[in-house]
Coordinates of all heavy atoms in Angstrom, one line a residue:
T355 N 254.1 198.8 1.8 CA 255.3 199.1 1.1 C 255.0 199.5 -0.4 O 254.2 198.8 -1.1 CB 256.4 198.0 1.1 OG1 257.5 198.3 0.3 CG2 255.8 196.6 0.7
P356 N 255.7 200.5 -0.9 CA 255.6 200.8 -2.3 C 256.4 199.9 -3.2 O 256.2 199.9 -4.4 CB 256.1 202.3 -2.4 CG 257.1 202.4 -1.3 CD 256.6 201.4 -0.2
R357 N 257.2 199.0 -2.6 CA 258.1 198.2 -3.4 C 257.5 196.9 -3.8 O 257.2 196.1 -2.9 CB 259.4 197.9 -2.6 CG 260.3 199.2 -2.4 CD 261.5 199.0 -1.6 NE 262.2 197.8 -2.0 CZ 262.5 196.7 -1.2 NH1 262.2 196.8 0.1 NH2 263.2 195.7 -1.7
R358 N 257.3 196.8 -5.1 CA 256.6 195.6 -5.6 C 257.3 194.3 -5.3 O 256.7 193.3 -4.9 CB 256.5 195.8 -7.1 CG 255.6 194.8 -7.8 CD 255.8 195.0 -9.3 NE 255.1 193.9 -10.0 CZ 254.0 194.1 -10.6 NH1 253.4 195.3 -10.7 NH2 253.4 193.0 -11.2
A359 N 258.6 194.3 -5.3 CA 259.4 193.1 -5.0 C 259.2 192.7 -3.6 O 259.1 191.5 -3.3 CB 260.9 193.3 -5.3
A360 N 259.2 193.7 -2.7 CA 259.0 193.4 -1.3 C 257.6 192.8 -1.0 O 257.4 191.9 -0.2 CB 259.2 194.6 -0.4
R361 N 256.6 193.4 -1.8 CA 255.2 192.8 -1.6 C 255.1 191.4 -2.1 O 254.5 190.6 -1.4 CB 254.2 193.7 -2.4 CG 254.1 195.1 -1.9 CD 252.8 195.7 -2.4 NE 252.7 195.9 -3.8 CZ 253.1 197.0 -4.5 NH1 253.5 198.0 -3.8 NH2 253.0 197.0 -5.8
S362 N 255.8 191.1 -3.2 CA 255.7 189.7 -3.7 C 256.4 188.8 -2.8 O 256.0 187.7 -2.6 CB 256.5 189.7 -5.1 OG 255.6 190.1 -6.1
A363 N 257.6 189.2 -2.2 CA 258.3 188.3 -1.3 C 257.4 188.0 -0.1 O 257.4 186.9 0.4 CB 259.6 189.0 -0.9
A364 N 256.8 189.0 0.5 CA 255.9 188.8 1.7 C 254.8 187.9 1.3 O 254.4 187.0 2.1 CB 255.4 190.2 2.2
A365 N 254.2 188.1 0.1 CA 253.0 187.3 -0.3 C 253.5 185.9 -0.5 O 252.8 184.9 -0.1 CB 252.4 187.9 -1.6
S366 N 254.6 185.7 -1.0 CA 255.2 184.4 -1.2 C 255.4 183.7 0.1 O 255.0 182.5 0.3 CB 256.5 184.5 -2.0 OG 256.8 183.4 -2.6
A367 N 255.9 184.4 1.1 CA 256.1 183.8 2.4 C 254.8 183.4 3.1 O 254.6 182.4 3.7 CB 256.9 184.8 3.3
A368 N 253.8 184.3 2.9 CA 252.5 184.0 3.5 C 251.8 182.8 2.8 O 251.2 181.9 3.5 CB 251.5 185.2 3.4
L369 N 252.0 182.7 1.5 CA 251.5 181.5 0.8 C 252.2 180.2 1.3 O 251.6 179.1 1.3 CB 251.5 181.7 -0.7 CG 250.4 182.6 -1.2 CD1 250.7 183.1 -2.6 CD2 249.0 182.0 -1.1
Q370 N 253.5 180.4 1.6 CA 254.2 179.2 2.1 C 253.6 178.8 3.5 O 253.5 177.6 3.7 CB 255.7 179.6 2.2 CG 256.5 178.4 2.5 CD 258.0 178.7 2.6 OE1 258.4 179.9 2.6 NE2 258.9 177.7 2.6
Q371 N 253.3 179.8 4.3 CA 252.7 179.5 5.6 C 251.4 178.6 5.5 O 251.1 177.9 6.4 CB 252.4 180.8 6.3 CG 253.4 181.2 7.3 CD 252.8 182.4 8.1 OE1 252.7 183.5 7.6 NE2 252.5 182.2 9.4
V372 N 250.7 178.8 4.4 CA 249.4 178.1 4.2 C 249.6 176.9 3.3 O 248.6 176.4 2.7 CB 248.2 179.0 3.8 CG1 248.0 180.1 4.8 CG2 248.5 179.6 2.4
S373 N 250.9 176.6 3.0 CA 251.2 175.4 2.1 C 250.7 175.5 0.7 O 250.1 174.5 0.2 CB 250.7 174.1 2.8 OG 251.2 174.0 4.1
L374 N 250.8 176.7 0.1 CA 250.3 176.9 -1.2 C 251.3 177.4 -2.2 O 251.0 178.0 -3.2 CB 249.1 177.8 -1.2 CG 247.7 177.2 -0.9 CD1 246.6 178.3 -1.0 CD2 247.4 176.1 -1.9
T375 N 252.6 177.2 -1.8 CA 253.6 177.7 -2.7 C 253.5 177.2 -4.1 O 253.6 177.9 -5.1 CB 255.0 177.3 -2.2 OG1 255.1 177.9 -0.9 CG2 256.1 177.8 -3.0
H376 N 253.1 175.9 -4.3 CA 252.9 175.3 -5.6 C 251.8 175.9 -6.4 O 251.7 175.6 -7.6 CB 252.8 173.8 -5.4 CG 251.6 173.4 -4.7 ND1 251.3 173.7 -3.4 CD2 250.5 172.7 -5.1 CE1 250.2 173.3 -3.0 NE2 249.6 172.6 -4.0
R377 N 250.9 176.6 -5.8 CA 249.7 177.2 -6.5 C 249.8 178.7 -6.5 O 248.7 179.3 -6.9 CB 248.4 176.8 -5.7 CG 248.2 175.3 -5.6 CD 248.1 174.6 -7.0 NE 246.8 174.5 -7.5 CZ 246.4 174.6 -8.8 NH1 247.4 174.7 -9.7 NH2 245.2 174.5 -9.1
Q378 N 250.9 179.3 -6.3 CA 250.9 180.8 -6.1 C 250.6 181.5 -7.4 O 250.2 182.6 -7.4 CB 252.2 181.3 -5.5 CG 253.5 181.0 -6.2 CD 254.7 181.5 -5.4 OE1 254.6 182.4 -4.7 NE2 255.8 180.8 -5.5
H379 N 250.9 180.9 -8.6 CA 250.6 181.6 -9.8 C 249.3 181.2 -10.4 O 249.0 181.6 -11.6 CB 251.8 181.4 -10.8 CG 253.1 181.9 -10.3 ND1 253.3 183.2 -10.0 CD2 254.2 181.2 -9.9 CE1 254.5 183.3 -9.5 NE2 255.1 182.2 -9.4
A380 N 248.5 180.5 -9.7 CA 247.2 180.0 -10.2 C 246.1 181.1 -10.0 O 246.2 181.9 -9.0 CB 246.7 178.7 -9.5
L381 N 245.1 181.2 -10.8 CA 244.0 182.1 -10.6 C 243.0 181.4 -9.7 O 242.9 180.2 -9.7 CB 243.3 182.4 -11.9 CG 244.1 183.2 -13.0 CD1 243.3 183.3 -14.3 CD2 244.3 184.6 -12.5
P382 N 242.3 182.2 -8.9 CA 241.3 181.6 -7.9 C 240.3 180.7 -8.6 O 239.9 179.7 -8.0 CB 240.6 182.8 -7.3 CG 241.6 183.9 -7.5 CD 242.4 183.7 -8.7
T383 N 240.0 180.9 -9.9 CA 239.0 180.1 -10.5 C 239.4 178.7 -10.7 O 238.5 177.8 -10.8 CB 238.7 180.7 -11.9 OG1 239.9 181.1 -12.5 CG2 237.7 181.9 -11.9
V384 N 240.7 178.4 -10.7 CA 241.1 177.0 -10.9 C 241.5 176.4 -9.5 O 241.9 175.2 -9.5 CB 242.3 176.9 -11.9 CG1 242.0 177.5 -13.2 CG2 243.6 177.5 -11.3
L385 N 241.3 177.1 -8.5 CA 241.6 176.6 -7.1 C 240.4 175.9 -6.5 O 239.3 176.4 -6.8 CB 242.2 177.7 -6.2 CG 243.5 178.3 -6.6 CD1 243.8 179.5 -5.7 CD2 244.6 177.3 -6.7
S386 N 240.6 174.9 -5.6 CA 239.5 174.4 -4.9 C 239.0 175.4 -3.8 O 239.7 176.3 -3.5 CB 239.9 173.1 -4.2 OG 240.8 173.4 -3.2
G387 N 237.8 175.1 -3.3 CA 237.3 176.0 -2.2 C 238.3 176.1 -1.1 O 238.6 177.2 -0.6
G388 N 238.8 175.0 -0.7 CA 239.8 175.0 0.5 C 241.0 175.8 0.1 O 241.5 176.5 1.0
E389 N 241.5 175.6 -1.1 CA 242.7 176.4 -1.5 C 242.4 177.9 -1.6 O 243.2 178.7 -1.1 CB 243.2 175.9 -2.9 CG 243.9 174.5 -2.8 CD 244.2 174.0 -4.2 OE1 243.5 174.3 -5.2 OE2 245.2 173.2 -4.3
R390 N 241.2 178.2 -2.0 CA 240.9 179.7 -2.1 C 240.8 180.2 -0.7 O 241.3 181.4 -0.5 CB 239.5 179.8 -2.7 CG 239.5 179.6 -4.2 CD 238.1 179.9 -4.8 NE 237.9 179.1 -5.9 CZ 236.8 179.0 -6.7 NH1 235.8 179.8 -6.4 NH2 236.8 178.2 -7.7
Q391 N 240.3 179.5 0.3 CA 240.2 180.0 1.6 C 241.6 180.1 2.2 O 241.9 181.1 3.0 CB 239.3 179.1 2.5 CG 238.9 179.8 3.8 CD 238.2 181.1 3.7 OE1 238.7 182.1 3.1 NE2 237.0 181.2 4.2
R392 N 242.5 179.2 1.8 CA 243.9 179.3 2.3 C 244.6 180.5 1.7 O 245.4 181.2 2.4 CB 244.6 178.0 2.1 CG 244.3 177.0 3.2 CD 244.5 175.6 2.8 NE 245.7 175.2 2.3 CZ 246.0 174.2 1.5 NH1 245.0 173.4 1.1 NH2 247.2 173.9 1.0
V393 N 244.3 180.9 0.5 CA 244.8 182.1 -0.1 C 244.3 183.3 0.7 O 245.0 184.2 1.0 CB 244.4 182.3 -1.6 CG1 244.8 183.6 -2.2 CG2 245.0 181.1 -2.5
A394 N 243.0 183.3 1.0 CA 242.4 184.4 1.7 C 243.0 184.5 3.1 O 243.2 185.6 3.6 CB 240.8 184.1 1.9
I395 N 243.4 183.3 3.7 CA 244.0 183.4 5.0 C 245.4 184.0 4.9 O 245.9 184.8 5.7 CB 244.0 182.0 5.7 CG1 242.6 181.6 6.0 CG2 244.9 182.0 6.9 CD1 242.4 180.2 6.6
A396 N 246.1 183.6 3.8 CA 247.5 184.1 3.5 C 247.3 185.7 3.4 O 248.2 186.4 3.9 CB 248.1 183.5 2.3
R397 N 246.3 186.1 2.7 CA 246.1 187.6 2.5 C 245.9 188.2 3.9 O 246.4 189.3 4.1 CB 244.9 187.8 1.6 CG 244.6 189.3 1.3 CD 243.4 189.5 0.5 NE 242.3 188.8 1.1 CZ 241.1 188.5 0.5 NH1 240.9 188.9 -0.7 NH2 240.2 187.9 1.2
A398 N 245.1 187.5 4.7 CA 244.8 188.1 6.1 C 246.1 188.2 6.9 O 246.2 189.0 7.8 CB 243.8 187.3 6.8
L399 N 247.0 187.2 6.6 CA 248.3 187.1 7.5 C 249.4 188.0 7.0 O 250.3 188.2 7.8 CB 248.8 185.7 7.3 CG 248.1 184.6 7.9 CD1 248.9 183.3 7.6 CD2 248.0 184.9 9.3
V400 N 249.4 188.4 5.8 CA 250.6 188.9 5.1 C 251.1 190.2 5.9 O 252.3 190.4 5.9 CB 250.4 189.2 3.6 CG1 249.5 190.3 3.4 CG2 251.7 189.3 2.9
N401 N 250.3 190.9 6.5 CA 250.7 192.1 7.3 C 250.9 191.8 8.8 O 250.9 192.7 9.6 CB 249.7 193.2 7.1 CG 249.7 193.7 5.7 OD1 250.6 193.5 4.9 ND2 248.5 194.3 5.3
T402 N 251.1 190.5 9.1 CA 251.3 190.0 10.5 C 250.3 190.7 11.5 O 250.8 191.4 12.4 CB 252.8 190.2 11.0 OG1 253.1 191.6 10.9 CG2 253.7 189.4 10.1
P403 N 249.0 190.4 11.3 CA 248.1 191.0 12.2 C 248.2 190.5 13.6 O 248.7 189.4 13.8 CB 246.7 190.6 11.6 CG 247.0 189.3 11.0 CD 248.4 189.4 10.4
D404 N 247.7 191.2 14.6 CA 247.5 190.8 16.0 C 246.2 190.0 16.2 O 246.1 189.2 17.1 CB 247.5 191.9 17.0 CG 248.7 192.8 16.8 OD1 249.9 192.3 16.8 OD2 248.6 194.0 16.7
L405 N 245.2 190.4 15.4 CA 243.9 189.9 15.5 C 243.3 189.4 14.2 O 243.4 190.1 13.2 CB 243.0 191.1 16.0 CG 241.5 190.9 16.2 CD1 241.2 189.8 17.3 CD2 240.8 192.2 16.6
L406 N 242.8 188.2 14.2 CA 242.3 187.6 13.0 C 240.8 187.5 13.2 O 240.4 186.8 14.2 CB 242.9 186.3 12.8 CG 242.7 185.6 11.4 CD1 243.2 186.5 10.3 CD2 243.4 184.3 11.4
L407 N 240.0 188.1 12.4 CA 238.5 188.0 12.5 C 238.0 187.2 11.3 O 238.2 187.5 10.1 CB 237.9 189.4 12.4 CG 238.3 190.4 13.5 CD1 237.7 191.8 13.2 CD2 237.9 189.9 14.9
C408 N 237.3 186.1 11.6 CA 236.8 185.2 10.6 C 235.3 185.1 10.7 O 234.7 184.7 11.7 CB 237.4 183.8 10.8 SG 239.2 183.8 11.1
D409 N 234.6 185.4 9.5 CA 233.1 185.3 9.5 C 232.7 184.0 8.7 O 232.9 184.0 7.5 CB 232.6 186.5 8.8 CG 231.1 186.7 9.1 OD1 230.4 185.8 9.6 OD2 230.6 187.8 8.8
E410 N 232.3 183.0 9.4 CA 232.0 181.7 8.8 C 233.0 181.2 7.8 O 232.7 180.9 6.6 CB 230.6 181.8 8.0 CG 229.5 182.3 8.9 CD 228.8 181.1 9.6 OE1 229.3 180.0 9.6 OE2 227.8 181.4 10.3
P411 N 234.3 181.1 8.3 CA 235.4 180.7 7.3 C 235.2 179.4 6.7 O 235.9 179.1 5.6 CB 236.6 180.8 8.2 CG 236.1 180.5 9.6 CD 234.8 181.1 9.7
T412 N 234.5 178.5 7.3 CA 234.3 177.1 6.7 C 232.9 176.9 6.1 O 232.6 175.8 5.7 CB 234.5 176.0 7.8 OG1 233.5 176.2 8.8 CG2 235.9 176.2 8.4
G413 N 232.2 178.0 6.0 CA 230.8 177.9 5.6 C 230.6 177.4 4.2 O 229.6 176.8 3.8
N414 N 231.6 177.6 3.3 CA 231.5 177.1 1.9 C 232.3 175.9 1.6 O 232.6 175.6 0.5 CB 231.9 178.2 0.9 CG 230.8 179.3 0.7 OD1 229.6 179.0 1.2 ND2 231.1 180.4 0.2
L415 N 232.8 175.2 2.7 CA 233.8 174.2 2.5 C 233.2 172.8 2.9 O 232.4 172.7 3.8 CB 235.1 174.4 3.3 CG 235.8 175.8 3.0 CD1 237.0 175.9 3.9 CD2 236.1 175.9 1.5
D416 N 233.7 171.7 2.2 CA 233.4 170.4 2.7 C 234.2 170.1 4.0 O 235.0 170.9 4.4 CB 233.6 169.4 1.6 CG 235.1 169.3 1.2 OD1 236.0 169.4 2.1 OD2 235.4 169.2 0.0
S417 N 233.9 169.0 4.6 CA 234.4 168.7 5.9 C 235.9 168.6 5.9 O 236.6 169.0 6.8 CB 233.7 167.5 6.6 OG 233.9 166.4 5.8
T418 N 236.5 168.0 4.8 CA 238.0 167.9 4.8 C 238.6 169.2 4.7 O 239.6 169.5 5.4 CB 238.3 167.0 3.5 OG1 237.6 165.8 3.6 CG2 239.8 166.7 3.5
N419 N 238.2 170.1 3.8 CA 238.7 171.4 3.6 C 238.5 172.2 4.9 O 239.3 173.0 5.3 CB 238.2 172.1 2.4 CG 238.9 171.6 1.2 OD1 240.2 171.6 1.1 ND2 238.2 171.2 0.2
A420 N 237.3 172.1 5.5 CA 237.0 172.8 6.7 C 238.0 172.4 7.8 O 238.5 173.3 8.5 CB 235.6 172.5 7.2
A421 N 238.3 171.2 7.9 CA 239.3 170.7 8.9 C 240.6 171.3 8.7 O 241.3 171.7 9.6 CB 239.3 169.2 8.9
S422 N 241.1 171.4 7.4 CA 242.4 172.0 7.2 C 242.4 173.5 7.5 O 243.4 174.0 8.0 CB 242.9 171.6 5.8 OG 242.5 172.5 4.8
V423 N 241.3 174.2 7.2 CA 241.2 175.6 7.6 C 241.3 175.7 9.1 O 242.0 176.6 9.6 CB 240.0 176.3 7.0 CG1 239.7 177.6 7.6 CG2 240.2 176.5 5.5
M424 N 240.6 174.9 9.8 CA 240.6 174.9 11.3 C 242.0 174.6 11.8 O 242.4 175.3 12.8 CB 239.6 173.9 11.9 CG 238.2 174.4 11.7 SD 237.0 173.4 12.6 CE 236.8 172.0 11.5
D425 N 242.7 173.7 11.2 CA 244.1 173.4 11.6 C 244.9 174.6 11.5 O 245.7 175.0 12.4 CB 244.7 172.3 10.7 CG 244.1 170.9 11.0 OD1 243.5 170.7 12.1 OD2 244.3 170.0 10.2
L426 N 244.7 175.3 10.4 CA 245.5 176.5 10.1 C 245.2 177.6 11.1 O 246.2 178.3 11.6 CB 245.2 177.0 8.7 CG 246.1 177.9 7.9 CD1 247.5 177.4 8.0 CD2 245.6 178.0 6.5
L427 N 244.0 177.8 11.4 CA 243.6 178.8 12.4 C 244.3 178.5 13.8 O 244.8 179.4 14.5 CB 242.1 178.9 12.6 CG 241.3 179.4 11.4 CD1 239.8 179.5 11.7 CD2 241.8 180.8 10.9
E428 N 244.3 177.2 14.1 CA 244.9 176.8 15.4 C 246.4 177.1 15.3 O 247.0 177.5 16.3 CB 244.7 175.3 15.6 CG 243.8 175.0 16.7 CD 243.2 173.6 16.7 OE1 244.1 172.7 16.6 OE2 242.0 173.4 16.7
E429 N 247.1 176.8 14.2 CA 248.5 177.0 14.1 C 248.8 178.5 14.2 O 249.8 178.9 14.9 CB 249.0 176.6 12.7 CG 249.3 175.1 12.6 CD 249.5 174.7 11.1 OE1 250.1 175.5 10.4 OE2 249.0 173.6 10.7
L430 N 248.0 179.3 13.6 CA 248.2 180.8 13.7 C 248.0 181.3 15.1 O 248.8 182.1 15.6 CB 247.2 181.5 12.8 CG 247.4 181.2 11.3 CD1 246.3 181.8 10.5 CD2 248.7 181.8 10.9
N431 N 247.0 180.8 15.8 CA 246.7 181.1 17.2 C 247.9 180.7 18.0 O 248.3 181.5 18.9 CB 245.4 180.4 17.6 CG 245.2 180.7 19.1 OD1 245.2 179.7 19.9 ND2 245.0 181.9 19.5
A432 N 248.5 179.6 17.7 CA 249.7 179.1 18.5 C 250.9 180.1 18.3 O 251.8 180.1 19.2 CB 250.1 177.7 18.1
T433 N 250.9 180.9 17.3 CA 252.0 181.8 17.1 C 251.7 183.2 17.8 O 252.5 184.1 17.8 CB 252.3 182.2 15.6 OG1 251.2 182.9 15.1 CG2 252.5 180.9 14.8
G434 N 250.5 183.2 18.5 CA 250.2 184.4 19.3 C 249.1 185.3 18.7 O 248.8 186.3 19.4
V435 N 248.6 185.0 17.6 CA 247.6 185.8 17.0 C 246.2 185.5 17.7 O 245.9 184.4 17.9 CB 247.4 185.4 15.5 CG1 246.3 186.3 14.8 CG2 248.7 185.6 14.7
T436 N 245.5 186.6 18.1 CA 244.2 186.4 18.7 C 243.2 186.1 17.6 O 243.2 186.8 16.6 CB 243.8 187.7 19.4 OG1 244.9 188.1 20.3 CG2 242.5 187.6 20.1
V437 N 242.4 185.0 17.8 CA 241.5 184.6 16.7 C 240.1 184.7 17.2 O 239.8 184.2 18.3 CB 241.8 183.2 16.2 CG1 240.8 182.7 15.2 CG2 243.3 183.1 15.7
I438 N 239.2 185.3 16.5 CA 237.8 185.4 16.7 C 237.1 184.8 15.5 O 237.2 185.4 14.4 CB 237.3 186.8 17.1 CG1 238.0 187.3 18.3 CG2 235.8 186.8 17.3 CD1 237.6 188.7 18.8
V439 N 236.4 183.7 15.7 CA 235.8 183.0 14.6 C 234.3 182.9 14.8 O 233.8 182.5 15.8 CB 236.4 181.7 14.3 CG1 236.4 180.7 15.5 CG2 235.8 181.0 13.1
I440 N 233.5 183.4 13.8 CA 232.1 183.4 13.8 C 231.7 182.1 13.1 O 232.2 181.9 12.0 CB 231.5 184.7 13.2 CG1 231.6 185.8 14.2 CG2 230.2 184.5 12.6 CD1 231.1 187.1 13.7
T441 N 230.8 181.4 13.7 CA 230.4 180.1 13.0 C 229.0 179.7 13.5 O 228.6 180.0 14.5 CB 231.4 179.0 13.3 OG1 231.1 177.9 12.6 CG2 231.5 178.7 14.8
H442 N 228.3 178.9 12.6 CA 227.2 178.2 13.1 C 227.4 176.7 13.2 O 226.6 175.9 13.5 CB 225.9 178.5 12.3 CG 226.1 178.0 10.9 ND1 226.3 178.9 9.8 CD2 226.0 176.8 10.4 CE1 226.4 178.2 8.7 NE2 226.3 176.9 9.0
D443 N 228.7 176.3 13.0 CA 229.1 174.9 13.0 C 229.7 174.5 14.4 O 230.8 175.0 14.7 CB 230.2 174.7 11.9 CG 230.6 173.3 11.8 OD1 230.3 172.5 12.7 OD2 231.3 173.0 10.8
P444 N 229.0 173.7 15.1 CA 229.5 173.3 16.4 C 230.9 172.7 16.4 O 231.7 172.8 17.3 CB 228.5 172.2 16.9 CG 227.3 172.4 16.0 CD 227.8 173.0 14.7
A445 N 231.3 172.0 15.3 CA 232.7 171.4 15.2 C 233.7 172.5 15.1 O 234.8 172.3 15.7 CB 232.7 170.5 13.9
V446 N 233.4 173.6 14.5 CA 234.4 174.7 14.5 C 234.5 175.4 15.8 O 235.5 175.6 16.4 CB 233.9 175.8 13.4 CG1 234.8 177.0 13.4 CG2 233.9 175.1 12.0
A447 N 233.3 175.6 16.5 CA 233.3 176.2 17.8 C 234.0 175.3 18.8 O 234.7 175.9 19.7 CB 231.8 176.4 18.2
A448 N 233.9 174.0 18.7 CA 234.5 173.1 19.7 C 236.1 173.2 19.7 O 236.7 172.9 20.7 CB 234.1 171.7 19.4
R449 N 236.7 173.7 18.6 CA 238.1 173.8 18.5 C 238.6 175.1 19.2 O 239.8 175.2 19.4 CB 238.6 173.8 17.0 CG 238.1 172.6 16.2 CD 239.1 171.5 16.3 NE 240.4 171.8 15.6 CZ 240.7 171.3 14.4 NH1 239.9 170.5 13.7 NH2 241.9 171.6 13.9
A450 N 237.7 176.1 19.4 CA 238.2 177.3 20.1 C 238.4 177.1 21.6 O 237.9 176.1 22.1 CB 237.1 178.4 19.8
H451 N 239.1 178.0 22.2 CA 239.3 177.9 23.7 C 238.0 178.3 24.4 O 237.8 177.9 25.5 CB 240.4 178.9 24.1 CG 241.7 178.6 23.5 ND1 242.7 179.6 23.4 CD2 242.2 177.5 22.8 CE1 243.8 179.1 22.8 NE2 243.5 177.8 22.4

Side-chain angles (χ1 to χ4, degrees):
T355 171
R357 291 177 48 234
R358 193 189 169 105
R361 293 199 298 268
S362 277
S366 200
L369 284 166
Q370 190 177 10
Q371 260 187 291
V372 302
S373 309
L374 276 182
T375 301
H376 61 298
R377 302 299 270 147
Q378 62 183 328
H379 300 299
L381 292 174
T383 41
V384 304
L385 297 176
S386 71
E389 288 173 330
R390 286 183 212 179
Q391 193 58 302
R392 277 152 57 203
V393 174
I395 292 173
R397 180 185 54 193
L399 288 183
V400 70
N401 298 336
T402 60
D404 305 311
L405 176 63
L406 190 62
L407 299 175
C408 311
D409 196 349
E410 300 279 5
T412 62
N414 282 347
L415 303 180
D416 61 39
S417 57
T418 309
N419 279 309
S422 84
V423 164
M424 286 190 279
D425 288 344
L426 199 49
L427 295 182
E428 250 165 50
E429 281 168 35
L430 295 172
N431 176 243
T433 70
V435 179
T436 307
V437 178
I438 300 182
V439 57
I440 279 178
T441 184
H442 62 256
D443 182 347
V446 175
R449 303 270 294 255
H451 302 161

